[in-house]
Amino acid sequence: MKKLGPWLVERGLLTDAQLAKAVEQNGAEFLGTVLLRRGLVSAERLLPAMADFYKMPFIRLSETAVEPAALAQVPVKVAMHYKVMPVRLSGSTLTVAVANPQDVRALDELRLALRQRVTIEPVLAAEEEIAQALQRHYGMGADTVEKILADQPPSVLRPAEDALEDIQQQADDASVIKLVNQLIVEAHSRRATDIHLEPYRGTVKLRYRIDGMLHRVDVPPSLRQLFPAIISRIKVLSNLNIVERRLPQDGRASVKVGKDKLDLRISVLPTPAGESIVIRLLPSEMLLQLKDLGFRGTDLNLLDRTIQKPHGMILITGPTGSGKTTTLYACLNTINAEERKIITIEDPIEYELEGVTQVQVIPQVGLSFAQGLRSMLRHDPDVMMVGEVRDVETAELATRIALTGHLVFSTVHTNDAVSALVRFIDMGIDPFLIASSIECVIAQRLVRVLCTKCKVQAKSQWAEAEMVYQSKGCDACHKAGYLGRTAIYEFFLMAQPIRELLLQKAGADALRQKAVELGMRTMREDGWDKVKSGITSLDEVLRVTQDET
């Protein structure tokens, strides 16, 4: 019988030299795996050819419905061990997807493991798709959970209320560590910003926040038995009190995932069903530049000129999670230079910036934003950044500092740019101070970016002549239709006519109308431009600008 390698050469998928090189280095490893790993043949060409060679069907698991009856036939530890994916059950015939048709021993052992209840019919599928299907249908970390439950007695998995020693033992157990690592590594690989572990009566829910939206991740039901051990491991990782289960706790840790370093922010909340945990994943370095944030050219030029000024205040406004901190850091990164002293006071410090002195707010010892501002003034700064203007004292200090030769950056929670001025007036700040100190206000929202591999054209709901794009969903974006985020902006520059209206104590509507007359575009208009450019969808812009009239 002809071997696979020469057969592939005959059909022009390989050259003799490529085959010789692959055979020389593969040892006992399956040739198909070596060819794919070394990129000598694409999966799209190799897998159908292999199916033809081995006289077996080829399927794409990403496009194939997996029957629950087939899953029930193969225990998770068997499927994970042999790296096979049950697909369908027809009578007594079980169709199983395999990546290595030459591994006859694995199929024989699979038959023995199933005690010959069914006849095995192998079909060929991509190894990567099998791994994804195993995780999708059996649940995240299912093999690790099964192994832990098999290896540990029930008493170890259910710690007593005051059994400190037992909790430490289970937290340090290598299997639990591996499981927690899996959760973090998978979240990072899917670009998640947060991991939510939520206990309920009899079950545990795992969700990842990806591009601002929560997505549920399937986990095996038996994960509930390991939940106390998982909580303890995360607490040990973040230096939290592992025996305290009645009070909220906050901690942090640093980990390395491949070449990436991540800072983890851990929040623990007690609930009737156990402790709920949220882990925020932050890159240890912030690399974004202003040009990467979605500003149109004219606004970017205006902002660049504004942040180079020696004094004044620049405000970023928007709700929590709208990317304000990222924009602030990008501004600081742009003007960060040896000749400038930049000091920040934040809560919390999300990224560490080299060359910038960063201070963490600590309310327990009296270090508030206002107190930090006073202390920073004595530290000879050129540029100051206040994480958020929350009260009258901070607002008044920041505006006065901006008038005394310092450039001040800060954020405030309002729905649009003009409302930030009104908020300062409502706090009791003199309109003269506002008009004299504030240089510009930027309101922003984050919108998801359409996946370039699956977006489709559609007619616009706003203008029938316009063609826009909509999300569809594919494997590259995990069926979400979106991959990544960008921002839409409202850039409000403090022009002289606006200053005059402020001194007359004009309302928000008059200020907004004048700003639009002077050329300001609303966030929805900026979003519409990004819709027409195919960057995002109309639904996404409408979702994040619902508060606009």
Side-chain angles (χ1 to χ4, degrees), residues 325 328-333 335-336 341-362 367-369 371-377 379 381-388 407-410:
T325 302
L328 279 177
Y329 281 174
C331 289
L332 294 181
N333 197 38
I335 62 174
N336 189 8
K341 175 74 172 185
I342 303 176
I343 308 178
T344 74
I345 180 161
E346 309 172 55
D347 186 22
I349 297 172
E350 294 198 11
Y351 305 101
E352 293 182 8
L353 299 176
E354 187 176 350
V356 176
T357 302
Q358 297 173 269
V359 180
Q360 168 70 51
V361 167
I362 311 175
L367 181 53
S368 62
F369 282 119
Q371 182 58 46
L373 269 175
R374 291 192 186 92
S375 301
M376 287 157 61
L377 271 176
H379 217 65
D382 297 297
V383 180
M384 303 168 74
M385 193 266 273
V386 187
E388 183 183 345
L407 185 62
V408 179
F409 292 87
S410 191

Side-chain angles (χ1 to χ4, degrees), residues 467-541:
M467 292 299 293
V468 298
Y469 288 87
Q470 291 181 340
S471 62
K472 182 181 178 183
C474 64
D475 289 337
C477 59
H478 295 280
K479 308 298 182 184
Y482 300 91
L483 199 61
R485 286 191 292 178
T486 190
I488 57 174
Y489 294 95
E490 187 172 276
F491 194 93
F492 174 68
L493 196 64
M494 188 70 80
Q496 188 57 35
I498 301 292
R499 299 183 197 275
E500 294 172 359
L501 281 176
L502 266 176
L503 294 176
Q504 299 168 17
K505 298 185 178 180
D509 291 340
L511 291 169
R512 187 178 296 107
Q513 182 178 347
K514 177 58 69 174
V516 171
E517 289 176 7
L518 294 172
M520 184 188 81
R521 296 187 316 159
T522 65
M523 280 184 290
R524 186 168 284 183
E525 289 171 333
D526 188 41
W528 176 237
D529 282 348
K530 289 181 169 68
V531 170
K532 291 190 291 184
S533 300
I535 296 171
T536 189
S537 68
L538 180 59
D539 290 341
E540 188 67 6
V541 171

Side-chain angles (χ1 to χ4, degrees), residues 171-329:
D172 290 337
D173 183 86
S175 298
V176 176
I177 293 173
K178 178 183 176 183
L179 180 58
V180 172
N181 290 347
Q182 281 181 312
L183 299 179
I184 297 171
V185 170
E186 177 65 16
H188 179 60
S189 70
R190 292 179 61 174
R191 302 175 302 101
T193 55
D194 300 87
I195 302 170
H196 291 247
L197 275 165
E198 305 159 331
Y200 299 97
R201 192 176 297 276
T203 187
V204 171
K205 183 185 289 186
L206 171 64
R207 295 191 287 178
Y208 291 155
R209 188 176 293 279
I210 303 170
D211 295 333
M213 305 293 285
L214 282 171
H215 297 267
R216 184 162 185 170
V217 180
D218 291 329
V219 294
S222 50
L223 185 70
R224 187 67 178 91
Q225 295 174 255
L226 290 176
F227 196 65
I230 294 170
I231 296 291
S232 295
R233 169 57 191 161
I234 294 172
K235 284 183 175 182
V236 168
L237 185 67
S238 52
N239 294 315
L240 296 178
N241 186 345
I242 60 176
V243 295
E244 178 57 72
R245 291 185 287 276
R246 299 165 299 174
L247 296 175
Q249 295 188 70
D250 294 309
R252 60 188 300 169
S254 295
V255 298
K256 189 175 181 181
V257 180
K259 296 181 179 179
D260 299 328
K261 293 181 180 179
L262 299 179
D263 288 332
L264 309 182
R265 305 291 164 77
I266 291 91
S267 174
V268 183
L269 283 178
T271 75
E275 291 174 295
S276 177
I277 281 193
V278 172
I279 304 173
R280 171 154 289 187
L281 282 65
L282 296 168
S284 59
E285 296 181 0
M286 206 286 298
L287 301 175
L288 283 178
Q289 305 292 325
L290 282 174
K291 61 182 177 62
D292 301 321
L293 300 186
F295 285 104
R296 64 172 181 157
T298 53
D299 288 345
L300 183 59
N301 291 334
L302 278 172
L303 179 58
D304 191 57
R305 289 202 301 270
T306 304
I307 64 177
Q308 299 292 344
K309 290 186 176 183
H311 55 78
M313 182 186 291
I314 298 167
L315 289 174
I316 314 291
T317 182
T320 301
S322 58
K324 300 188 297 296
T325 302
T326 300
T327 302
L328 279 177
Y329 281 174

Side-chain angles (χ1 to χ4, degrees), residues 54-57 74 78-79 81-87 94-125 130:
Y54 288 107
K55 303 293 189 290
M56 62 192 303
V74 185
V78 174
H81 179 74
Y82 295 112
K83 293 183 174 56
V84 298
M85 183 65 206
V87 178
L94 178 67
T95 301
V96 175
V98 300
N100 182 0
Q102 288 185 348
D103 195 354
V104 179
R105 181 181 175 185
L107 292 175
D108 289 340
E109 291 182 2
L110 179 60
R111 292 187 183 96
L112 290 174
L114 300 181
R115 298 178 183 175
Q116 299 182 340
R117 293 191 304 267
V118 293
T119 302
I120 304 295
E121 180 183 79
V123 295
L124 185 66
I130 290 175

